[in-house]
Amino acid sequence: MRALLRKSLHRFVHRLGFRLVRATPYERAIRNWELEHEPFYFVQVGAHNGITSDPFHRFLIEGNAWNAILVEPQAPCVNILRSIYGDRDQIHVVHAAIGPASSSFGGNQDFLTMYRIRDDAVGLPHWANQLASARREVIASHRDRIPDIERWIISEEVPCVSLDKVIRDHAFPRVDLLATDTEGFDFEIIRQIDTLPSLPQFIYYEHLHLPEAEYAESLRFLRDRGYTTHAVNNGDTFAEQR
């Protein structure tokens, strides 16, 4: 009976030009908030190319109510992001990195040393160009899957700004969702929420490359500020204001 009801519902929805997709708990929380808070303000740090392993690409494509700032330090990825979202005035692509919380920015751009895989690298897995971090040891830690990874790592200076400056520059009145995927630099970014006019309602961050002690500290930091947290998979954590 359950399978029959499911098929009937799918057929009905398809006739209307839609499809049913099972939503995870964090997706439901975001969607429910979005319905009551339009426009929805989204900041993504480490946006990469906007598609590969990106849990929020579908939200941006489907959600005309989403105003977004996509922060990405790698120039080739920035070009892809601009080609994807170039016709969406409410989606802003920023070619920069978010610097560490301890830096003093003073409103001007500073620079951050970023480590990444060389553009001319050959014979590497398709996901290798996603490896870019302010922590070289995080990139090198993938030697179990790329034995000669050391020969492909390069460093470059990239412009960086503080989290609050990016948000002020785009006149966002608040942040509904902050997402970070920065290969081990995520807690440095999350700590900067204290500099914002108000705390984000939701935070989604990669914890996979955080040392165990730092991950525990990040959870304490968020819970002290009124967030509930839970791991959504083996590498990411979702936090929601209570």
Side-chain angles (χ1 to χ4, degrees), residues 39-52:
F40 186 91
Y41 293 97
F42 172 51
V43 177
Q44 185 176 31
V45 181
H48 192 241
N49 62 17
I51 299 174
T52 307

Side-chain angles (χ1 to χ4, degrees), residues 40 42 44 47 56-71 81-82 84-94 170 172:
F40 186 91
F42 172 51
Q44 185 176 31
F56 301 107
H57 174 68
R58 178 163 50 86
F59 286 73
L60 288 173
I61 292 298
E62 297 175 356
N64 290 325
W66 280 50
N67 286 257
I69 303 170
L70 309 180
V71 183
L81 288 169
R82 287 174 175 163
I84 294 173
Y85 300 115
D87 61 340
R88 301 280 292 276
D89 292 339
Q90 74 274 29
I91 297 180
H92 313 279
V93 179
V94 177
H170 293 86
F172 272 27

Side-chain angles (χ1 to χ4, degrees), residues 117-131:
I117 300 299
R118 283 167 39 185
D119 293 331
D120 61 350
V122 295
L124 273 58
H126 67 90
W127 45 262
N129 70 347
Q130 292 179 256
L131 301 177

